[in-house]
Amino acid sequence: MSAPSNTAKQRLENIKHHLNPNVNPHFESLRIQRRQDQVPYISKLDPLSFLLRSAMVYAHKTAIIHRQKSFTYLQLAERVKILANILIDAYQVKPGDRVGILCQNIPAFTEAQYAIPAIGAISVPMNTRLAAKEIEYIADHSGVSVMFVQTELMDRLTDQTKTTANIRFIEVADSDDTSQDPYEASLKKRSNDCRLGWNDFPTAVDENEVISINYTSGSTGKPKGWGFPWAIVAVGGTQIMLNKLDYTLIWKLLKEHGVTHYNGAPTVQNEICNHEDAVRLEHSVNAYSGGSALSSTLIQRMKDLNLKPTQVYGLTETYGPAVLTYDHYTLSQYNEEEQAKLLARPGFNIVTSDEIRVLNIETSVDVKPNGKEVGEICFTGNLVMKGYYRNPKETTKAFRNGVYWTGDLAVRHPDGSIEIVDRSKDVIVSGGENISSIEVESVIVQLDQVSECAIVAGPDDKWGERPIAFVVIKKNRTLDESTVINHCRNSLAGFKCPTKVVFAKEIPKTSTGKT
Amino acid sequence: MSAPSNTAKQRLENIKHHLNPNVNPHFESLRIQRRQDQVPYISKLDPLSFLLRSAMVYAHKTAIIHRQKSFTYLQLAERVKILANILIDAYQVKPGDRVGILCQNIPAFTEAQYAIPAIGAISVPMNTRLAAKEIEYIADHSGVSVMFVQTELMDRLTDQTKTTANIRFIEVADSDDTSQDPYEASLKKRSNDCRLGWNDFPTAVDENEVISINYTSGSTGKPKGWGFPWAIVAVGGTQIMLNKLDYTLIWKLLKEHGVTHYNGAPTVQNEICNHEDAVRLEHSVNAYSGGSALSSTLIQRMKDLNLKPTQVYGLTETYGPAVLTYDHYTLSQYNEEEQAKLLARPGFNIVTSDEIRVLNIETSVDVKPNGKEVGEICFTGNLVMKGYYRNPKETTKAFRNGVYWTGDLAVRHPDGSIEIVDRSKDVIVSGGENISSIEVESVIVQLDQVSECAIVAGPDDKWGERPIAFVVIKKNRTLDESTVINHCRNSLAGFKCPTKVVFAKEIPKTSTGKT
């Protein structure tokens, strides 16, 4: 055979393609070059790749809408790149450094969640509803060197946090007038002066490196659902940010913006359903809810409005939701009453998680799936955290026998679904926020007048649960309710403070379960 | 503080939950225990986990429909488990062994694609349209010890393949009467006698272990789109299997079964659109197409029928489709004419792939994204194969400079999208199948009368392209068209054989490009 060698090079010269460029190239700057020693068939799993890809594929699609502002994916990536430059050049952030974020659900939050890991640093998002003392603890314990703080949350900084020489603050005004916002001003100033491109950032090489530390309800409060800023960007969705619960605005957005998905605790779902603007939507909207169970009445009301309820379960330790209720196909096989029963179960692990297990607390053996035997919910797999930061003791305890122990108690049904029956971490769930009863108790017993104290969950129509304090006063001392509540307000976030104080002669040692 | 220690154990005793089991537990047998030394926060990525999860979450949902047969996810998992037992006990398959699959798109194919990796073995799916000599080559080169063969494909086994002592065959009749099917009979026989459960199989420990070898068009032919049996199970979809292209049946299924997605080469899409049963569907169906470009006329016809066309691009070496055309949001910004132009581009990498690059063939530098400069399409990342089996030379060549070189030529547009302009591997694409012109040439020059030969692609209304042979006859010899074609039929799959032979005095060495 002597067929002509039809090489690419030769044919290349024969090819005459004339395709007219219609936009300016932008994607080349969005590339992070591979290292020379990388095998071609393995790439690190990294949320940053979602942003860089979406900035190419969905370049001119809206990524973020926040009141009057909106950014395309290309603009979002550019803002993140500028912010990363600022963190390195103006704040000397180095790989491994911790950077705090004390912002509501505003663009700066999402941008920081990309810019910080982009330069190999570790983000420390903080719950905006925490008290100043709690913020001080987190900043100190995580050792943040830089911290984003929204102007209206400046009062959450104690004098000690503010004056410590170790922390530098980046103020975010979140003002509609960007010229009045130091954060926007610094982005603007640096916009034509980025020393480093994507390829120059010291991004972590190992996909198992820590990129975020999230303080949990165990000692502090519920963090933001921080996986979502990454997931929405991965699918090229448009994120409408809401930093306040404005139900009139929510209904306006649901009706006019074609919203397809939203998250809200049962309290929030309830407010949405009972709002005066509530009408049945023309399009179906996926409504995710967690924290506590949706009542069957609320589920029915949501369905009437064309809101499709899905209950989720997860913990900060599992990167947020890792369990979903029954899929809509399976539910459709049951009648309304049975559906409500099934929807009360958190259900099954999502596809990126290992099977959720319910293990006997003493033997670490799976409970019988009879819907009766109670055990502790345990997780393994790629959604589980690496450990508690600077707390090897708690980490070892939580990872007993090769699984992560959640502290929540559940039964397993014969179909494998789990149903929570109690939370072993003494958590009160109020308006979607977790309150540690032990934490509140430890504050109240600081009062010299108090002998004993127990916090239990009281039912509340609006918030689901509210903490109630049972207090035993020392002999020959006096104390009133407002003193206890005001004392709590000085140390705790408002939502953690008891709304009612019951003075008792004694606290029965075995009967203070949350029921 | 002396609040009562509200331990899980104590509260456990207080909990009285009475939930009625309504189905028999099945999910516990679907569990693969973790090794004692595994860190709790890392799990191997493994398609097997899709099947085990779906068998729990979607237990009673239909997984597979094939003519009169249908299986739920629970039944599918059970069949796979039985098959894995048979492979181990009756065929002595060991980890690392290669197991061939010569079956059409029938349940046994999907079942084998799970049972083989479940026991740490390597599947070798074979294109059912290959000739016996080609099957012999693949079986021999991959060293299969066991091979699934569909009864009607038995004629694809050469005597040598059949009689070799090294290969044992599992015959699959694919009969509607399962009692007449040796495959079904052996599954049935073993159904109450499974020695090993999921937890006992010697599944590979390392997620980067080889689980499948797929012979490519370079030397053989296009394999099945083998990633789909795993992807559909991951999302709990219902797969309707079609082992023959029966367009009357296709339209019946589209209309009556609520099909939401299907794949088909342009030739297939064309037949679907031109069929007498074609009517506009009430629901929108996602129609994926690859292999060659959809014409704008065809795209319009598909849209008229409510088929939503999406072009994909990929190679066996990238586990199938790794590139998608523009998303429907972006397309909607353009008019019909511009849309047709954009849809002709393979577009952008999917979210699980790295960016697709177009590199200068000599310098390995990215081409200018001006829609004019031509380079070779290159891939990196987790969708790229590990290498060519038992072919270190070709592997090294394909992985030059840390990227995988596809052999396809493309330009890059200013928005980052790629557009294929030619394929450097001398591939003719006929009815969605790839034909290597070099392979056909090497068969024709075996004829003693032939001096030179070149295969080029001829345009064909039905198949897109068909191979045409240019043959130079040796001096003082004679040869006719049918001799050449019959000679090819003895060694090659029918679709690879030239439909036309042109006898020429000489073959111009530099002008035999596929155009």
Side-chain angles (χ1 to χ4, degrees):
Chain A
M1 181 180 71
S2 57
S5 72
N6 190 13
T7 66
K9 195 184 164 190
Q10 286 173 338
R11 289 176 298 127
L12 195 154
E13 292 176 26
N14 294 332
I15 290 163
K16 306 282 175 210
H17 254 263
H18 299 281
L19 303 161
N20 292 320
N22 52 9
V23 286
N24 289 323
H26 58 259
F27 68 90
E28 290 194 304
S29 67
L30 297 166
R31 181 180 301 144
I32 296 176
Q33 299 288 349
R34 294 170 71 82
R35 300 188 322 279
Q36 282 295 328
D37 61 338
Q38 271 185 280
V39 286
Y41 57 87
I42 296 179
S43 283
K44 175 182 67 142
L45 301 178
D46 183 350
L48 194 58
S49 68
F50 302 149
L51 178 63
L52 299 181
R53 175 181 177 270
S54 287
M56 176 171 74
V57 179
Y58 309 105
H60 306 294
K61 190 175 172 187
T62 304
I64 286 180
I65 297 172
H66 181 55
R67 291 197 304 264
Q68 313 307 321
K69 287 180 203 167
S70 79
F71 309 120
T72 65
Y73 270 103
L74 195 54
Q75 288 169 331
L76 175 62
E78 185 64 17
R79 288 169 63 89
V80 171
K81 187 184 77 178
I82 296 167
L83 181 56
N85 269 275
I86 292 171
L87 289 174
I88 291 176
D89 287 347
Y91 293 89
Q92 286 80 48
V93 176
K94 306 243 163 347
D97 285 357
R98 275 79 60 211
V99 179
I101 313 174
L102 183 61
C103 295
Q104 293 165 336
N105 192 20
I106 60 173
F109 181 87
T110 299
E111 288 154 7
Q113 277 290 54
Y114 282 98
I116 297 167
I119 60 173
I122 298 167
S123 75
V124 184
M126 300 173 190
N127 187 334
T128 54
R129 296 179 63 188
L130 296 180
K133 275 277 175 198
E134 297 165 314
I135 299 291
E136 181 185 306
Y137 169 78
I138 293 175
D140 179 58
H141 183 264
S142 63
V144 299
S145 58
V146 175
M147 195 168 153
F148 292 82
V149 185
Q150 196 172 333
T151 306
E152 68 175 278
L153 300 170
M154 278 292 177
D155 63 353
R156 306 300 166 85
L157 303 181
T158 59
D159 286 343
Q160 197 192 316
T161 310
K162 267 188 217 155
T163 56
T164 172
N166 298 326
I167 304 179
R168 296 178 64 190
F169 297 96
I170 300 175
E171 189 177 341
V172 186
D174 186 40
S175 164
D176 287 333
D177 179 358
T178 55
S179 70
Q180 297 303 308
D181 188 336
Y183 175 77
E184 291 292 343
S186 66
L187 286 182
K188 193 178 175 189
K189 191 179 155 201
R190 183 79 55 156
S191 63
N192 294 313
D193 177 30
C194 271
R195 192 173 63 84
L196 305 171
W198 288 105
N199 199 38
D200 308 311
F201 296 141
T203 313
V205 166
D206 179 355
E207 68 184 18
N208 291 313
E209 281 294 309
V210 173
I211 61 172
S212 191
I213 301 171
N214 297 260
Y215 283 77
T216 71
S217 51
S219 59
T220 55
K222 193 187 169 204
K224 309 182 82 88
W226 63 285
F228 289 98
W230 293 332
I232 295 169
V233 168
V235 297
T238 296
Q239 187 175 182
I240 303 176
M241 307 200 92
L242 275 182
N243 59 322
K244 301 261 162 71
L245 278 169
D246 176 341
Y247 293 97
T248 304
L249 178 60
I250 287 172
W251 271 106
K252 188 174 149 66
L253 295 169
L254 283 172
K255 289 174 194 167
E256 294 173 12
H257 263 288
V259 170
T260 54
H261 298 74
Y262 75 88
N263 300 337
T267 316
V268 174
Q269 306 288 3
N270 198 45
E271 294 285 337
I272 289 174
C273 289
N274 292 332
H275 194 266
E276 57 181 3
D277 294 348
V279 287
R280 182 175 171 84
L281 291 165
E282 282 175 27
H283 67 291
S284 174
V285 178
N286 293 284
Y288 296 88
S289 186
S292 55
L294 292 169
S295 70
S296 53
T297 319
L298 182 52
I299 286 172
Q300 194 47 57
R301 177 80 179 123
M302 290 174 74
K303 284 183 179 171
D304 291 344
L305 296 170
N306 215 356
L307 307 173
K308 211 166 152 186
T310 296
Q311 302 215 41
V312 296
Y313 164 73
L315 303 90
T316 309
E317 288 91 337
T318 63
Y319 291 57
V323 184
L324 274 184
T325 34
Y326 289 78
D327 61 294
H328 290 276
Y329 166 83
T330 303
L331 285 176
S332 70
Q333 314 295 308
Y334 295 90
N335 67 32
E336 293 283 327
E337 194 187 336
E338 290 164 328
Q339 281 188 26
K341 219 187 237 178
L342 294 180
L343 275 170
R345 304 177 186 173
F348 303 96
N349 62 289
I350 59 176
V351 73
T352 49
S353 167
D354 285 1
E355 181 196 346
I356 310 307
R357 311 278 290 278
V358 180
L359 304 185
N360 182 297
I361 291 165
E362 290 178 12
T363 62
S364 297
V365 169
D366 291 272
V367 298
K368 284 201 188 68
N370 55 10
K372 289 177 187 170
E373 189 184 338
V374 177
E376 190 166 335
I377 302 171
C378 294
F379 284 89
T380 57
N382 303 318
L383 289 186
V384 176
M385 65 157 185
K386 285 181 83 171
Y388 293 110
Y389 191 63
R390 290 179 173 167
N391 198 337
K393 197 180 143 198
E394 283 298 320
T395 302
T396 305
K397 202 173 143 198
F399 281 122
R400 197 158 39 94
N401 285 340
V403 301
Y404 169 69
W405 295 77
T406 63
D408 293 336
L409 298 180
V411 294
R412 196 94 195 249
H413 288 285
D415 63 356
S417 65
I418 63 164
E419 180 166 349
I420 295 175
V421 292
D422 196 16
R423 295 173 189 255
S424 67
K425 274 183 178 162
D426 309 279
V427 168
I428 296 161
V429 182
S430 181
E433 300 281 355
N434 291 351
I435 303 169
S436 160
S437 53
I438 291 173
E439 184 189 16
V440 182
E441 287 161 8
S442 69
V443 166
I444 293 177
V445 293
Q446 287 167 358
L447 286 167
D448 192 46
Q449 302 95 320
V450 173
S451 155
E452 269 189 281
C453 168
I455 297 292
V456 297
D460 186 282
D461 281 348
K462 183 170 177 189
W463 302 105
E465 294 179 351
R466 290 292 305 142
I468 297 175
F470 284 81
V471 171
V472 180
I473 305 173
K474 286 179 183 163
K475 274 189 180 168
N476 304 321
R477 302 294 291 269
T478 55
L479 185 64
D480 62 18
E481 183 172 29
S482 63
T483 307
V484 175
I485 292 174
N486 287 336
H487 170 70
C488 288
R489 288 203 190 283
N490 288 335
S491 306
L492 295 168
F495 68 90
K496 294 182 182 175
C497 298
T499 33
K500 194 173 175 184
V501 179
V502 178
F503 294 99
K505 278 194 178 164
E506 61 168 349
I507 292 171
K509 295 288 184 291
T510 58
S511 62
T512 52
K514 281 189 273 169
T515 47
Chain B
M1 178 181 70
S2 58
S5 71
N6 190 12
T7 66
K9 196 183 163 189
Q10 286 174 338
R11 288 177 300 127
L12 195 155
E13 293 175 24
N14 294 332
I15 291 164
K16 305 282 175 213
H17 253 263
H18 299 282
L19 304 160
N20 291 321
N22 51 10
V23 284
N24 289 322
H26 58 258
F27 68 90
E28 290 193 305
S29 66
L30 297 166
R31 182 179 300 144
I32 296 175
Q33 300 287 352
R34 295 171 69 84
R35 300 189 322 279
Q36 282 296 329
D37 61 338
Q38 271 185 278
V39 287
Y41 57 88
I42 295 180
S43 283
K44 176 181 68 140
L45 301 177
D46 183 349
L48 194 59
S49 68
F50 303 149
L51 177 63
L52 298 181
R53 175 181 176 271
S54 287
M56 174 172 74
V57 179
Y58 310 107
H60 305 294
K61 191 175 171 187
T62 304
I64 286 181
I65 296 172
H66 181 54
R67 292 197 304 266
Q68 312 306 322
K69 288 180 202 166
S70 79
F71 309 120
T72 65
Y73 269 103
L74 194 53
Q75 288 168 332
L76 176 62
E78 185 63 17
R79 287 168 64 88
V80 170
K81 187 184 77 179
I82 297 168
L83 182 56
N85 270 276
I86 292 172
L87 289 174
I88 290 177
D89 287 347
Y91 294 89
Q92 286 79 49
V93 176
K94 307 239 163 350
D97 284 358
R98 277 77 61 211
V99 179
I101 314 175
L102 182 61
C103 295
Q104 294 166 336
N105 192 20
I106 58 175
F109 181 87
T110 300
E111 287 153 9
Q113 279 288 53
Y114 283 98
I116 298 167
I119 60 173
I122 299 168
S123 75
V124 185
M126 300 173 192
N127 188 334
T128 55
R129 296 180 62 189
L130 296 180
K133 276 277 174 197
E134 298 165 314
I135 299 291
E136 182 185 307
Y137 168 79
I138 294 175
D140 179 58
H141 183 264
S142 63
V144 299
S145 57
V146 175
M147 195 167 155
F148 291 83
V149 185
Q150 197 172 333
T151 308
E152 68 173 279
L153 299 171
M154 278 291 174
D155 64 352
R156 308 299 168 86
L157 303 181
T158 60
D159 287 341
Q160 200 192 314
T161 309
K162 267 186 216 159
T163 56
T164 174
N166 298 323
I167 306 179
R168 294 176 68 189
F169 298 95
I170 300 175
E171 189 179 339
V172 186
D174 188 39
S175 165
D176 285 334
D177 179 359
T178 55
S179 70
Q180 297 302 308
D181 189 335
Y183 175 77
E184 292 292 343
S186 66
L187 286 182
K188 194 178 174 189
K189 192 180 154 201
R190 182 81 54 157
S191 62
N192 294 313
D193 177 31
C194 271
R195 192 173 61 84
L196 306 170
W198 288 105
N199 198 38
D200 307 310
F201 297 141
T203 313
V205 166
D206 179 356
E207 69 185 16
N208 290 313
E209 280 294 311
V210 173
I211 60 170
S212 191
I213 301 171
N214 297 261
Y215 283 77
T216 73
S217 51
S219 60
T220 55
K222 193 187 171 202
K224 311 182 81 90
W226 63 285
F228 289 99
W230 293 332
I232 295 170
V233 169
V235 298
T238 296
Q239 188 177 178
I240 302 176
M241 308 202 91
L242 274 182
N243 59 322
K244 300 262 161 70
L245 278 168
D246 176 342
Y247 293 97
T248 304
L249 177 60
I250 287 173
W251 272 107
K252 187 175 149 65
L253 295 170
L254 284 171
K255 288 173 195 169
E256 294 173 11
H257 263 288
V259 170
T260 54
H261 298 75
Y262 74 89
N263 299 336
T267 314
V268 175
Q269 306 288 2
N270 199 45
E271 295 284 337
I272 290 173
C273 288
N274 292 331
H275 194 268
E276 57 180 6
D277 295 347
V279 287
R280 182 175 172 82
L281 291 165
E282 281 176 27
H283 67 292
S284 175
V285 178
N286 294 284
Y288 296 88
S289 186
S292 56
L294 292 169
S295 70
S296 54
T297 318
L298 183 51
I299 286 172
Q300 194 48 56
R301 176 78 180 125
M302 290 174 73
K303 284 184 179 170
D304 291 343
L305 296 170
N306 215 355
L307 307 173
K308 212 165 153 188
T310 296
Q311 303 215 41
V312 297
Y313 164 74
L315 302 92
T316 309
E317 289 90 337
T318 63
Y319 291 57
V323 185
L324 274 183
T325 35
Y326 289 79
D327 62 293
H328 290 276
Y329 167 83
T330 303
L331 285 176
S332 69
Q333 314 295 306
Y334 294 89
N335 67 34
E336 293 282 326
E337 194 187 338
E338 291 164 329
Q339 280 187 26
K341 219 186 238 178
L342 295 179
L343 274 172
R345 305 178 187 173
F348 304 96
N349 61 289
I350 58 178
V351 72
T352 49
S353 167
D354 285 4
E355 181 195 346
I356 310 305
R357 313 279 290 277
V358 180
L359 304 185
N360 183 295
I361 291 165
E362 289 178 12
T363 62
S364 297
V365 169
D366 291 271
V367 299
K368 285 201 186 70
N370 56 10
K372 290 176 188 169
E373 190 183 337
V374 177
E376 190 167 336
I377 302 172
C378 295
F379 284 88
T380 57
N382 303 318
L383 289 187
V384 176
M385 63 158 185
K386 285 181 84 173
Y388 294 109
Y389 189 62
R390 292 181 170 164
N391 199 337
K393 199 180 140 195
E394 284 297 319
T395 302
T396 306
K397 203 174 141 195
F399 281 123
R400 198 159 37 95
N401 286 339
V403 301
Y404 168 70
W405 295 77
T406 63
D408 293 336
L409 298 179
V411 294
R412 197 95 194 248
H413 288 285
D415 63 356
S417 64
I418 64 163
E419 181 167 349
I420 294 175
V421 292
D422 196 16
R423 293 172 190 253
S424 68
K425 275 185 180 162
D426 308 280
V427 168
I428 296 161
V429 182
S430 181
E433 299 281 356
N434 291 351
I435 302 170
S436 160
S437 53
I438 292 172
E439 184 189 17
V440 183
E441 287 159 8
S442 69
V443 167
I444 294 176
V445 293
Q446 288 167 358
L447 286 168
D448 191 45
Q449 302 95 320
V450 173
S451 157
E452 271 188 278
C453 170
I455 297 293
V456 299
D460 186 283
D461 280 349
K462 182 169 180 191
W463 301 106
E465 293 179 350
R466 290 293 304 142
I468 296 175
F470 285 81
V471 172
V472 181
I473 306 172
K474 284 178 184 165
K475 272 188 182 167
N476 305 322
R477 300 296 289 270
T478 55
L479 185 65
D480 61 16
E481 184 172 27
S482 62
T483 308
V484 175
I485 293 174
N486 287 337
H487 171 70
C488 288
R489 289 205 190 280
N490 288 335
S491 307
L492 295 168
F495 69 91
K496 294 181 181 176
C497 299
T499 35
K500 194 176 175 183
V501 181
V502 179
F503 294 99
K505 280 194 179 166
E506 60 167 353
I507 291 170
K509 296 288 183 297
T510 57
S511 61
T512 53
K514 280 189 276 171
T515 47

